[in-house]
Amino acid sequence: MAEVDVDRFYSRLDKLHSHFCKHKNYWSGANSLTLHRGNLNDEEPYAKSVVLHQWLFGYELPDTIMVITRDGTVCVLATKKKCEFLKPAVGKNKSFKIKLLLRNKEDGNAENYKTLLDTARQGDEENKNKVGTILKERNYNKENGSILGPYEKFLDEQDGLELVDVAPALCLVMAAKDDAEWDLMKKSSVLSNKVMKHGFVKRLEEIIEDEQKITHEEFATEIESILEDPNKIKLNVPPSDVQSCYFPIVQSGGKYDIRVSAQSTSAKLSHDIITVSLGSRYKLYCSNVARTFLVDPPKRVSANYEILLELQEACFKAMQPGAQLKAVYKAAVQFLKENNHEELISKLPKNLGFAQGLDFRDSTLTLTAKNNIPFRPGMVFCLAVGFQDLELTEKDVESTPSASPVKKLTKYALLVSDMVSISKPGKDPELLTKMGKNITDIAYNVNDEDDGSDDDDDDDDDDDDDDEEDPDAAMAKKLARENGGGEGGGRRSRRLASGYNQMAENAESTAERERRQIRLMIRRNEERVREIARENMKNKGKRTEEEMAEELEAYKSTKDYPGNVQPNQVKVDMVNQCVILPIFGNPIPFHISTIKNVVLPDPDNATLLRINFYTAGMAVGKDAPVNTGKLVQKYAPYASFVRELTFRSLDGHNLVQAFRQISELRKRARAREIQELEEANLVEQEKLVRTKNERVPRLSDLTMRPVFAGRKTQGNLEAHSNGLRFISTRREVVDIMYSNIKYAIFQPCEKEIMVLIHFHLKNPIMVGSKKQIDVQFFTEVVEASQAVDNGRRSMYDPDEMDDEQRERQLRKRLNQAFKDFCKKVDGVAKKNGYRLEFDIPYRDLGFTGNPHKEMVQLLPTLNCLVNLTETPFFVVDLDHVDHVHFERVHSMSKAFDMILINKDFTKMPQRIDMIPNGDKDGIQEWLTDMEITYTEGPMNLNWKQILGTAKDDDRFYMNTEDDEVTEKDAGWEILRMFGREDEEDDDDEDDDSEFGEESAELEEEEEEEEVDEEDFDSEEESDFDADAELEEEGMDWDEMEVKAAADDKRKRRLGEDVDVVQPRGGKRRGRRR
């Protein structure tokens, strides 16, 4: 049974109530609110009461009455089932008093109606009869609903009661989105963008290329089917979460209506000027996107379209927090006037967009010329700009190919709409639909009358000239060449520009990703500085027990020595873990942890026993006890150490026995210390509370990894009240508490041989005698190894086909069983107050690599990067990743390495080797989406040295040295410098090797770039000031020492093999020797 999300309910109720109390003028002076929801009505999916219920409760509660007063009283009249749904929220917030009234059929709810009205009239005596409601829905409510219909009539019968409309105020409350809503709006916008890009555009190009006949309605129906099921364009989105906001609008052939209320007609699609609008709903949140596609466009049409894009940019910049909504329309008109396009002002629509959310079109927040409501951070708008009823004369189309349908046009329209999110003050609004809309993205030349290559080249040159005039296009072209995007220039196809568009799109995506990375690097550096400062303040003046050495004390006095100690014999006390050695006839105890090793050389005339101790001035070794290392470090400055003692005896019996006992005692002490280290960070778990008197979710015949004592561990997994219990066939038990699960991952069986559930824990647990932080349960679909005979089997062998069919059915059945179990576990955990969600890896983002001496498939999840099918498991928590660096990135290599740097610099980075070059762009795009910075370089780096330098540098994430004046690269920006000159050399070599393949246009661009560089160099030389150089030479000793210290520190940060170079007028760079 569904339950209300209590936290979200109170958060949004408080938002509604606060606005109601603070802004009386928006609520028409109402004393209270009576908000109804009538019966289900599929014809009104965006009714204000529907939107309010979905926003407040997460569900729609039909035939329900809710009264809200200024003192925080909330009365709800509904059926028993709906009251049960709301019951968990009762009494959970002291600011609100929630009363649930059950429907009473005996008196026709007369007593309930009276209670509701009395509640609504509480408070302000002057305005007690003024009640706010949604007036537009009252007529429908009167005719429908067993509870609501009589109540509406009851209100009409009350003397002096004044009902005022509060629908606009409700719009204002719901307009500013919280973080959860903004995330859903972004996903909805991305969905619309993807459907337009991979659904509509791809189909449109097929229609134009093959000259297919299709009506606007049929085309719109195909697009709607994609909106209802995004899997058709390979988007892994559950169809139950998405739907179309409206029937897509496709228009062409000279009849256009750019309003959102337009309809697709039954006329045939004409290959001229095509407008399309579509909107998707993801988990009830709406988005909208519109584009215009030009086929054989005349110059006048192209020019007007460019004006429209500039107009949209002007409107976009006007959408600032605090500005009024009418500022957008004013900016559009002002832009047209300033650029001498006054004739286009009359072609603008009456409004340039509207707010969106759960409601597709918020009628209160429209971008009209008279709307005085201000923009607020969190609002999301559909910015829709266009020109209606533009005219085409015969002169305009005289240069158009005679076979083009554009020849027949006399009127046309242009439309572009995008989703825009209002950011915080001081920041530009964010564009959520990023599909390209430049003229090169939406224009097709399909009816060229001259097929000559000369004309094609001329067209290419024209396009190149345009790109040179546009700095962004030039940057995108340059990035495309650097990333192997192919030759720049014009369109390769005579009919469609799909190949060129893909290249331009990749270049634009790369340039945008680089810009985002630059901004992300700056923000992450600032965040890390704050995190480190908070941690330092928290630990200031404290010295943890782990950092302090524990003094050794085997005996409190000589009286505690064993009774059989002889003055000239070596005695081993196994109980007190010490060795008593005779020194000058006196027995002196040495704790076993101070002994480094013991040696018994082959006896000759006498037996020798040599004992070596841990001392200062030499490496302690990784096998040394941790406490011994701390003691050596503590006493090293002022104490004298015994390094070695050698004992000689003609009778070797005592020394041989002592050698054996010391060796055994060292082995026991080492084993005990290892066990203590294993259990050091173990957290005592709560006891499992088994579910009784209820059916327990169970998965049978599972195999667990890691195993108990090297044996295959099989058994059953059960979900109880506060955790999961695995019971093996040998009665071994492993309990996993819900509260200890950090990430739960369900990986269905597709290309693997197993279906599995994996738990990554917050704190390790003991499995057998070892500490484990990852526990997995799986079932194999097929055996990992199967015996096959030597006979050849035909592909048409019935037995072979039956085996394959059974295997497919088994995969499907096991996947469903595991999926159902995950849902049940989620339900049990939620029922008992725990939050547990199962992630499913994103296979479309997966890539191959070598994290553990074996090539495996690595898959990202919502929070991790994992490989779960092979052991040892590879699980990287993205929350712990500070930065990612790509090694061996150059044109001569077919693969590269990926280094994941931990925020804790005491831990060595995790690395993934041998990743194919083709996966690099996808990985970098994913990292950027996850807001993780990355850099790349051509060589492998010494990470132990780099991390040691970063750990010791208190200003690692700051962009200045200790003097707070000298600039340096902040954080991992330092890694951008490694191999920079090598990359430039590689580029030069690549350019030299591209004989016969480059176009004359590319050579011209390179020559122009060289000229620009020479001009830049000459400017630098001309700006050089000899007096400044003399002043540099005349620095006093103090200044020179400060400068030298800064340079030395710089060298240590970059590594010993990097020089520091200070170019004239430029920033510091690292140069590799």
Side-chain angles (χ1 to χ4, degrees):
M1 179 180 174
E3 291 184 1
V4 64
D5 187 331
V6 177
D7 293 336
R8 189 182 74 171
F9 167 72
Y10 275 115
S11 173
R12 296 183 179 177
L13 178 62
D14 181 65
K15 184 178 179 181
L16 171 65
H17 185 261
S18 298
H19 194 278
F20 173 56
C21 294
K22 292 179 181 178
H23 306 283
K24 289 185 178 181
N25 54 327
Y26 286 117
W27 299 85
S28 303
N31 178 59
S32 61
L33 305 176
T34 175
L35 305 173
H36 325 315
R37 174 68 196 111
N39 284 345
L40 292 174
N41 183 10
D42 293 336
E43 296 180 0
E44 293 288 341
Y46 305 119
K48 198 61 64 182
S49 57
V50 175
V51 171
L52 177 64
H53 275 224
Q54 292 166 346
W55 179 75
L56 195 58
F57 304 118
Y59 296 89
E60 186 179 349
L61 306 181
D63 205 17
T64 301
I65 304 172
M66 179 171 60
V67 173
I68 302 176
T69 65
R70 292 188 179 276
D71 64 358
T73 301
V74 180
C75 283
V76 180
L77 172 58
T79 59
K80 182 179 179 181
K81 190 174 182 180
K82 294 164 193 151
C83 289
E84 289 292 332
F85 169 80
L86 295 172
K87 193 172 182 179
V90 177
K92 295 296 177 65
N93 191 312
K94 296 181 180 179
S95 300
F96 297 96
K97 182 179 180 182
I98 298 179
K99 298 179 181 178
L100 301 180
L101 304 178
L102 282 175
R103 178 179 62 181
N104 188 350
K105 293 184 178 180
E106 295 180 0
D107 64 350
N109 287 310
E111 186 64 28
N112 287 332
Y113 293 160
K114 184 177 182 303
T115 301
L116 291 172
L117 186 60
D118 291 343
T119 302
R121 283 177 164 170
Q122 292 177 1
D124 190 358
E125 285 294 328
E126 183 180 351
N127 296 318
K128 70 176 183 179
N129 286 322
K130 188 176 285 189
V131 178
T133 188
I134 305 172
L135 294 179
K136 185 179 179 180
E137 300 180 15
R138 292 200 70 213
N139 291 333
Y140 175 80
N141 294 338
K142 290 177 182 178
E143 301 172 359
N144 299 277
S146 58
I147 296 178
L148 193 52
Y151 180 67
E152 293 283 13
K153 297 174 183 177
F154 173 77
L155 292 179
D156 289 338
E157 296 171 357
Q158 303 303 310
D159 294 335
L161 189 66
E162 181 185 356
L163 298 178
V164 295
D165 190 22
V166 294
L170 292 173
C171 295
L172 293 175
V173 172
M174 295 184 286
K177 310 295 186 289
D178 56 32
D179 291 342
E181 290 182 286
W182 189 90
D183 184 61
L184 292 174
M185 287 297 300
K186 184 175 181 180
K187 291 178 179 177
S188 176
S189 301
V190 170
L191 177 60
S192 295
N193 195 76
K194 294 283 188 183
V195 172
M196 176 70 80
K197 184 176 179 180
H198 301 294
F200 179 84
V201 173
K202 184 177 180 181
R203 180 69 177 118
L204 176 64
E205 291 181 351
E206 291 175 358
I207 292 171
I208 298 175
E209 183 74 29
D210 300 335
E211 297 183 356
Q212 300 176 16
K213 303 296 182 183
I214 189 172
T215 67
H216 297 140
E217 285 183 345
E218 291 170 345
F219 199 176
T221 301
E222 292 183 15
I223 303 307
E224 185 179 42
S225 67
I226 298 175
L227 285 167
E228 300 287 348
D229 184 10
N231 290 308
K232 293 182 178 180
I233 55 173
K234 299 180 181 180
L235 277 181
N236 190 18
V237 180
S240 58
D241 290 343
V242 298
Q243 61 189 110
S244 177
C245 291
Y246 57 90
F247 190 65
I249 306 168
V250 182
Q251 301 175 95
S252 66
K255 296 182 180 180
Y256 302 95
D257 184 356
I258 62 175
R259 296 175 298 178
V260 291
S261 58
Q263 298 290 326
S264 296
T265 66
S266 57
K268 294 288 185 180
L269 180 73
S270 178
H271 301 173
D272 43 36
I273 297 173
I274 304 166
T275 64
V276 58
S277 299
L278 59 88
S280 67
R281 254 184 132 188
Y282 177 75
K283 293 187 177 180
L284 303 177
Y285 281 83
C286 304
S287 62
N288 188 63
V289 64
R291 290 290 183 268
T292 301
F293 296 90
L294 311 177
V295 183
D296 297 326
K299 291 184 179 180
R300 183 179 179 84
V301 174
S302 299
N304 283 337
Y305 184 80
E306 294 285 0
I307 294 171
L308 182 65
L309 293 185
E310 294 176 8
L311 174 71
Q312 188 195 34
E313 183 65 22
C315 295
F316 180 79
K317 292 179 179 179
M319 302 176 73
Q320 298 294 333
Q324 294 179 339
L325 269 58
K326 64 181 182 182
V328 175
Y329 205 96
K330 182 179 179 181
V333 173
Q334 185 177 354
F335 169 82
L336 294 175
K337 288 182 178 179
E338 290 178 352
N339 292 275
N340 301 319
H341 302 306
E342 290 88 347
E343 72 281 1
L344 294 176
I345 295 177
S346 61
K347 308 299 182 181
L348 290 172
K350 293 183 179 179
N351 73 74
L352 300 180
F354 42 84
Q356 286 195 290
L358 289 166
D359 194 352
F360 173 72
R361 182 179 183 274
D362 196 328
S363 57
T364 305
L365 299 172
T366 54
L367 303 179
T368 62
K370 298 181 180 180
N371 199 329
N372 295 323
I373 297 175
F375 287 106
R376 288 189 295 158
M379 289 182 172
V380 180
F381 285 83
C382 173
L383 176 61
V385 297
F387 297 135
Q388 178 80 41
D389 295 330
L390 295 171
E391 296 181 354
L392 270 179
T393 63
E394 292 183 2
K395 184 178 180 180
D396 295 331
V397 297
E398 64 182 4
S399 61
T400 304
S402 58
S404 175
V406 179
K407 279 280 191 181
K408 302 176 184 179
L409 288 182
T410 57
K411 288 189 176 183
Y412 67 98
L414 300 173
L415 175 64
V416 174
S417 73
D418 285 295
M419 298 297 296
V420 179
S421 172
I422 307 302
S423 305
K424 295 180 180 179
K427 294 185 178 181
D428 292 333
E430 182 175 355
L431 188 67
L432 302 182
T433 47
K434 300 181 180 180
M435 178 184 167
K437 49 182 177 272
N438 292 329
I439 192 73
T440 55
D441 298 317
I442 54 87
Y444 302 101
N445 295 319
V446 300
N447 290 290
D448 293 342
E449 293 182 339
D450 188 355
D451 295 340
S453 60
D454 293 340
D455 289 345
D456 291 342
D457 293 340
D458 292 341
D459 292 342
D460 294 347
D461 293 341
D462 292 342
D463 291 342
D464 295 336
D465 292 340
D466 292 341
D467 288 344
E468 289 174 6
E469 293 174 4
D470 184 357
D472 291 338
M475 181 181 181
K477 186 183 294 182
K478 182 178 178 181
L479 285 167
R481 289 201 304 272
E482 291 175 355
N483 289 276
E487 299 174 7
R491 298 176 172 176
R492 298 295 182 267
S493 171
R494 178 176 170 272
R495 295 185 58 80
L496 290 179
S498 57
Y500 173 78
N501 287 343
Q502 183 66 34
M503 183 188 67
E505 181 182 329
N506 292 340
E508 181 181 353
S509 175
T510 302
E512 175 62 23
R513 187 169 68 236
E514 290 298 326
R515 287 193 290 267
R516 289 175 61 190
Q517 275 290 319
I518 292 171
R519 295 193 297 267
L520 182 60
M521 183 78 78
I522 295 172
R523 181 163 61 83
R524 286 292 293 268
N525 287 339
E526 294 173 352
E527 291 174 355
R528 290 291 289 149
V529 168
R530 289 193 292 268
E531 289 176 10
I532 294 173
R534 286 195 295 268
E535 186 176 348
N536 291 340
M537 287 296 295
K538 184 178 179 181
N539 297 328
K540 188 176 181 181
K542 296 182 180 179
R543 189 177 182 188
T544 60
E545 295 181 0
E546 289 80 3
E547 296 175 347
M548 299 177 64
E550 181 183 353
E551 298 293 339
L552 300 176
E553 185 181 68
Y555 308 103
K556 293 184 178 180
S557 67
T558 56
K559 296 179 181 179
D560 297 329
Y561 283 2
N564 55 352
V565 173
Q566 300 296 326
N568 291 314
Q569 284 189 350
V570 177
K571 172 67 177 177
V572 179
D573 188 350
M574 304 292 284
V575 176
N576 292 303
Q577 302 183 66
C578 72
V579 180
I580 301 175
L581 302 176
I583 298 178
F584 300 114
N586 297 314
I588 306 298
F590 290 82
H591 197 274
I592 193 64
S593 64
T594 63
I595 297 176
K596 186 175 184 179
N597 56 48
V598 59
V599 181
L600 185 70
D602 292 335
D604 192 4
N605 295 330
T607 302
L608 297 176
L609 178 68
R610 184 168 67 249
I611 302 175
N612 297 316
F613 298 91
Y614 292 108
T615 63
M618 58 185 299
V620 177
K622 63 180 182 179
D623 292 334
V626 177
N627 189 59
T628 300
K630 294 178 181 178
L631 287 171
V632 170
Q633 186 178 7
K634 177 180 178 181
Y635 290 104
Y638 53 86
S640 298
F641 288 80
V642 177
R643 176 170 293 183
E644 175 187 325
L645 289 175
T646 302
F647 298 93
R648 181 177 180 275
S649 175
L650 295 175
D651 182 6
H653 176 74
N654 174 257
L655 293 183
V656 171
Q657 183 181 8
F659 171 77
R660 292 173 180 171
Q661 289 179 336
I662 293 172
S663 299
E664 177 64 23
L665 186 57
R666 288 186 70 248
K667 188 187 300 182
R668 292 182 188 179
R670 179 62 180 164
R672 187 180 299 107
E673 184 180 19
I674 291 174
Q675 183 177 0
E676 290 176 354
L677 289 175
E678 285 282 339
E679 300 176 356
N681 57 348
L682 289 177
V683 177
E684 185 177 357
Q685 294 194 79
E686 54 185 317
K687 292 186 177 180
L688 185 80
V689 178
R690 302 191 63 179
T691 303
K692 298 179 180 179
N693 303 325
E694 191 175 333
R695 189 171 182 178
V696 177
R698 179 182 289 106
L699 271 180
S700 303
D701 300 327
L702 299 181
T703 302
M704 187 186 82
R705 293 191 294 189
V707 299
F708 279 95
R711 298 170 295 176
K712 190 173 183 179
T713 306
Q714 294 181 311
N716 301 331
L717 182 65
E718 301 174 346
H720 293 279
S721 299
N722 65 334
L724 298 129
R725 168 163 287 184
F726 176 79
I727 305 175
S728 72
T729 53
R730 294 186 290 269
R731 311 309 297 173
E732 297 159 325
V733 177
V734 175
D735 291 338
I736 303 174
M737 301 297 109
Y738 297 139
S739 58
N740 193 34
I741 297 175
K742 189 172 186 179
Y743 303 123
I745 303 171
F746 163 52
Q747 182 170 315
C749 175
E750 292 187 10
K751 298 179 181 179
E752 303 86 0
I753 63 170
M754 63 180 68
V755 53
L756 59 87
I757 297 174
H758 188 96
F759 297 105
H760 184 69
L761 307 179
K762 298 176 183 176
N763 301 298
I765 62 173
M766 296 299 293
V767 177
S769 59
K770 292 187 177 180
K771 177 174 63 174
Q772 304 291 346
I773 200 166
D774 288 287
V775 182
Q776 183 183 109
F777 306 96
F778 70 93
T779 294
E780 289 184 343
V781 178
V782 294
E783 294 293 334
S785 60
Q786 293 181 341
V788 295
D789 54 21
N790 293 327
R792 298 180 63 183
R793 304 179 69 175
S794 169
M795 63 179 293
Y796 300 107
D797 186 353
D799 293 337
E800 184 81 8
M801 296 173 68
D802 288 344
D803 291 343
E804 292 178 359
Q805 181 66 20
R806 280 194 295 271
E807 184 179 322
R808 283 194 296 268
Q809 292 176 354
L810 180 59
R811 286 176 186 269
K812 185 176 180 181
R813 187 166 65 251
L814 286 175
N815 284 342
Q816 189 61 43
F818 272 66
K819 183 178 180 181
D820 293 342
F821 178 76
C822 292
K823 288 184 177 180
K824 292 176 182 176
V825 172
D826 189 10
V828 171
K830 188 176 292 185
K831 180 179 178 182
N832 291 278
Y834 298 95
R835 186 170 183 177
L836 181 64
E837 294 182 357
F838 284 85
D839 291 341
I840 298 179
Y842 302 116
R843 293 184 181 274
D844 54 335
L845 299 177
F847 57 93
T848 57
N850 179 7
H852 295 303
K853 301 180 182 180
E854 181 181 10
M855 292 296 290
V856 296
Q857 183 75 9
L858 295 144
L859 302 174
T861 68
L862 187 62
N863 302 291
C864 304
L865 177 64
V866 301
N867 170 259
L868 306 176
T869 54
E870 305 297 333
T871 54
F873 305 128
F874 182 78
V875 181
V876 177
D877 187 349
L878 298 181
D879 287 342
H880 295 163
V881 175
D882 189 30
H883 180 76
V884 174
H885 183 70
F886 299 98
E887 295 182 337
R888 298 193 301 115
V889 179
H890 51 79
S891 58
M892 302 300 293
S893 176
K894 295 182 179 179
F896 62 93
D897 304 331
M898 179 176 173
I899 313 299
L900 299 114
I901 304 172
N902 201 296
K903 291 181 179 178
D904 184 358
F905 292 159
T906 61
K907 298 179 180 179
M908 286 299 292
Q910 293 176 288
R911 64 182 299 123
I912 305 170
D913 297 330
M914 298 302 296
I915 304 173
N917 281 344
D919 293 328
K920 182 161 74 76
D921 285 342
I923 295 173
Q924 291 181 348
E925 189 69 34
W926 167 66
L927 290 173
T928 304
D929 290 340
M930 298 302 295
E931 296 193 339
I932 296 175
T933 58
Y934 67 81
T935 51
E936 59 184 52
M939 65 194 69
N940 296 102
L941 303 178
N942 185 346
W943 289 105
K944 185 175 182 180
Q945 178 186 354
I946 292 174
L947 292 181
T949 303
K951 181 183 176 183
D952 297 336
D953 188 356
D954 294 335
R955 303 182 65 83
F956 179 70
Y957 291 100
M958 301 181 189
N959 60 359
T960 57
E961 299 285 3
D962 291 334
D963 58 5
E964 297 186 357
V965 175
T966 306
E967 291 187 359
K968 69 178 184 67
D969 292 311
W972 298 113
E973 282 282 351
I974 186 176
L975 298 180
R976 295 188 187 277
M977 308 174 74
F978 287 100
R980 178 176 294 173
E981 294 182 359
D982 295 341
E983 290 176 354
E984 293 175 356
D985 295 340
D986 292 342
D987 289 342
D988 293 339
E989 293 174 5
D990 292 342
D991 293 341
D992 294 337
S993 65
E994 291 176 353
F995 52 90
E997 293 294 325
E998 290 188 342
S999 64
E1001 175 267 341
L1002 285 177
E1003 295 176 354
E1004 290 175 2
E1005 283 189 355
E1006 290 172 355
E1007 291 173 0
E1008 290 174 1
E1009 289 175 1
E1010 291 174 0
V1011 171
D1012 292 341
E1013 290 175 0
E1014 291 173 359
D1015 293 342
F1016 179 75
D1017 292 340
S1018 64
E1019 288 173 5
E1020 285 189 331
E1021 292 173 0
S1022 63
D1023 291 339
F1024 175 73
D1025 188 358
D1027 292 337
E1029 182 70 10
L1030 290 174
E1031 291 175 2
E1032 179 70 18
E1033 292 179 356
M1035 290 190 299
D1036 60 22
W1037 284 106
D1038 292 338
E1039 293 174 342
M1040 293 175 66
E1041 287 177 357
V1042 171
K1043 185 174 184 294
D1047 289 346
D1048 290 341
K1049 189 167 186 178
R1050 178 71 169 180
K1051 287 183 180 180
R1052 290 196 297 273
R1053 294 179 75 252
L1054 295 176
E1056 295 177 356
D1057 56 341
V1058 176
D1059 289 336
V1060 176
V1061 180
Q1062 180 71 39
R1064 296 190 187 101
K1067 292 185 178 180
R1068 291 180 152 199
R1069 298 186 299 174
R1071 185 179 65 194
R1072 182 160 295 281
R1073 282 203 282 258

